[in-house]
Amino acid sequence: MEVIIVFSLYVFVLSMLVGFEVIAKVPTLLHTPLMSGSNAISGITIVGALISAGSGHGVVSSILGMFAVIMATVNVVGGFKVTDRMLGMFKKQK
Amino acid sequence: MSAQTNLIYLVAAVLFIFGLKMLSSPRTARRGNMLAMLGMLIAIVITLLDRQIISWPYIMVGIIIGSAVGYIAAQRVALTEMPQMVAVFNGLGGGASMLVAFAEVGPRVLRLETNPELYLVVTIVLSVLIGTVTLTGSMVAYAKLQGLLTGAPIVYRGQHVVNVILIVVCAVLGIMMAFNPSMWLLLVLVFIIAAVLGVSLVIRIGGADMPVVIALLNSYSGLAAAATGFVISNNVLIISGALVGASGLILTKIMCVAMNRSLANVLFGAVGTAGGTGVVSEEEKKSVTRYTPMDAALMLENAYSVIIIPGYGLAVAQAQHVLQEGAKLLMDKGIKVRYAIHPVAGRMPGHMNVLLAEANVPYDLLLDMTEINEDFKDTDIVLVIGANDVINPAARYKKGSPLYGMPILNADQARTVIICKRSLSPGFSGEDNELFYDDKTMMVFGDAKKTVTDITNILKSA
C-alpha cells in the first residue's frame, strides 16, 4: 500500500503550506484566539476516537477509544467555546 | 469508510481553512470560529452515521463527559489563566491522538493474518511518541504556569544526555516494533519513555519562556493528530493536524523573534530564575525623580497624544479596567489615546490584547509594535504600566546585554515618559533600564492598580 502513504504525505505537506499561508495573515491582535481555536481544530482526532470507541473491535479498543473521545471532546468543545467567548470581547470603537 | 463520508470530510477540512482565514480580521473572526465549529460538527456527525460505528454506549459516555467538562471549563476560566487552559487542551488533544493509535493496534496490527505494512507501524509509533510528549509536556507547562511547580528551570546534571538517550531508545524501540509488529508491549515502552521525555524537556524551561513552549506544544498537538490520521488513513485528520502544526510553528517563531532568542536557546538554555533577582549595579548610583499620581494626571490632561504601554504587571494587578476608565476620560477631553502592545506583553501570544479587550478597550486602539513604533517620536506622553524590558533602550546598542537585538517599543522617543512601577528593580533580563533615570522620565512608584486608580480619580474630579 505504498500508494496510500505517498498520497497521505502529499496531503500533509500541501496542508502544511496552506497553513503557513493562512496563519501568517492572522494579526498579533488575535493570536490568543488563534491558538485556542486551532487547538480546537486539532481535536479533529475525535473522528478517530469515535471510530475506535464505536466499531466494536473488542473491549480494550472501545475503552481506549472512550477515553480518547472524552479528551478530544473536552478539547473541541472547550476550545471552540473559549475562543468564541474571547472573540465576543473584541469590539470596535463606537 | 465510504466515499460519501470521505467527501463530507473534505467539506469539513475546507470549513476549517476558511475559518482560520477569517481570523485575519477581528470583524470576521467570530464568524470564522463558528465556521470551524460547523466543520467539526459535520465531521463528527458523518462519522457517527458511518457503517463502521456499531456500538454507542462508549461513544455517548465519552461525548457527554467531555462536552460537560469542556464547556464548564471554557465558561469559567479567567482570561489571565488562558495560557494554562490552552496548555491543558493541547495536552488532551495529544493524549487523545495517542490513545487512538493504541486502540488501532488491535484491529490493524495484531489481528492481521500477514505482517502489517511498515508505514503503519512507523506512524503508530510516531503518533504515540508525539501524542505522549504533548500530553506530559503540557501538564508540566500547566503546573508551572499555575504555580504548582516552580517557574524556574529545573535542571539536573546530564539532562541533555538523558534526553538524547530517551530519544534514541524510543527510535530503537520503534525499529524493533517495525520488525516484530505483534510485540505491542514495545509500544507501551515507547509510551512510558515518551511520557518521561515530555516531562524532562519542559521542566527545564523557565516561566518567562512558557509562551514559546505553549506555542510549540500547540504545534505538536496538531502533528499528533496528523500522525493519527496517517495511522487510520483519514485525510481530514491529516489536513487539520497539518494546519494546526503550521500555526503552532509560526507562533513559536514569532515569540522567539520577539524575545530575541533562538528556539534552541529557549528549549535547552534553561534561562531564567523564579523572580527578578537581577542586581542594580551599585557603582553608578543614578538619581531618579519621584512623581505623584497628581503630577502624572496633570501632565496627561495637558497632552495632545498619549500612548499607553501595558505590561503583564498590569494584568497581575487587575488594573486594566480602571486604566481604560482613565483612558476614556482622556479621550473624552479630545486627547488621542492608543495602546502599544509588545508581542511578549503577556503569558502567551496575543494575551495582552485579550486582557484589554475584556476591559472594554476597543480593538482599534490596540496597536502592535510594528504599527505604532514610528509614532512615538510625535507623541507627547508615553504611559508605561508594569512593563520594563520591552522599553529598555539597551536592547539597541549595548552589546553583551541579554536584551541586545531584541525589538523594543520606542518609548524613549516620546516627549515625556511616565513609568508606573513598584521599584527600580530590573526586569526579567536583569538589565538595568536607563530610561528610568532620563530627564524626561517621571517615575511614579507604587502598586499598579493603586497608582492607576489614583490617576483616574484625579482625572475624574478635574
Side-chain angles (χ1 to χ4, degrees), chain B residues 154-398:
Chain B
I154 298 174
V155 187
Y156 55 85
R157 275 181 62 130
Q159 201 164 8
H160 290 317
V161 180
V162 170
N163 289 346
V164 170
I165 290 174
L166 289 174
I167 293 169
V168 170
V169 172
C170 263
V172 171
L173 287 169
I175 294 168
M176 285 168 67
M177 173 100 185
F179 286 105
N180 311 282
S182 56
M183 290 181 65
W184 59 273
L185 267 176
L186 289 173
L187 197 60
V188 177
L189 282 179
V190 171
F191 164 73
I192 294 170
I193 292 169
V196 176
L197 186 64
V199 173
S200 181
L201 284 174
V202 178
I203 208 163
R204 61 175 291 116
I205 297 171
D209 288 344
M210 277 302 142
V212 182
V213 178
I214 301 171
L216 195 61
L217 289 168
N218 196 219
S219 175
Y220 288 176
S221 76
L223 295 178
T228 304
F230 278 94
V231 174
I232 62 174
S233 309
N234 187 320
N235 281 332
V236 74
L237 262 74
I238 298 177
I239 296 171
S240 320
L243 290 173
V244 179
S247 162
L249 283 180
I250 289 183
L251 293 172
T252 305
K253 180 161 171 276
I254 289 174
M255 291 315 272
C256 281
V257 170
M259 298 197 323
N260 192 30
R261 309 263 302 279
S262 71
L263 184 56
N265 182 257
V266 171
L267 295 182
F268 307 116
V271 173
T273 51
T277 51
V279 193
V280 184
S281 48
E282 287 293 325
E283 70 268 27
E284 36 172 345
K285 277 227 168 78
K286 290 168 275 190
S287 65
V288 162
T289 332
R290 276 168 190 270
Y291 288 85
T292 63
M294 177 64 102
D295 303 323
L298 285 176
M299 283 298 291
L300 287 166
E301 268 182 329
N302 292 304
Y304 286 103
S305 54
V306 175
I307 294 178
I308 300 173
I309 299 181
Y312 195 63
L314 174 82
V316 172
Q318 283 295 311
Q320 60 271 41
H321 288 86
V322 65
L323 174 65
Q324 171 58 11
E325 208 184 312
K328 214 168 167 306
L329 290 169
L330 292 176
M331 285 185 274
D332 290 345
K333 292 178 204 284
I335 300 166
K336 186 179 185 187
V337 181
R338 290 171 299 168
Y339 290 80
I341 314 289
H342 193 277
V344 298
R347 284 289 174 270
M348 69 187 288
H351 197 190
M352 185 54 70
N353 296 296
V354 175
L355 293 170
L356 290 172
E358 188 192 22
N360 296 320
V361 180
Y363 66 77
D364 36 348
L365 299 185
L366 302 171
L367 298 171
D368 74 31
M369 187 164 59
T370 49
E371 289 174 306
I372 203 166
N373 241 356
E374 290 303 307
D375 294 3
F376 280 101
K377 56 182 186 300
D378 305 316
T379 297
D380 293 325
I381 298 179
V382 167
L383 177 61
V384 183
I385 302 158
N388 187 351
D389 286 340
V390 298
I391 54 163
N392 194 336
R396 288 200 204 105
Y397 66 88
K398 198 166 170 186

Side-chain angles (χ1 to χ4, degrees), chain A residues 32 39 54 61 81 84-85 91, chain B residues 54 74-75 77 89-90 103 349:
Chain A
T32 294
N39 188 223
S61 282
K81 170 71 193 157
D84 185 62
R85 195 181 136 202
K91 297 205 175 68
Chain B
I54 53 166
Q75 189 80 7
V77 66
F89 284 175
N90 281 337

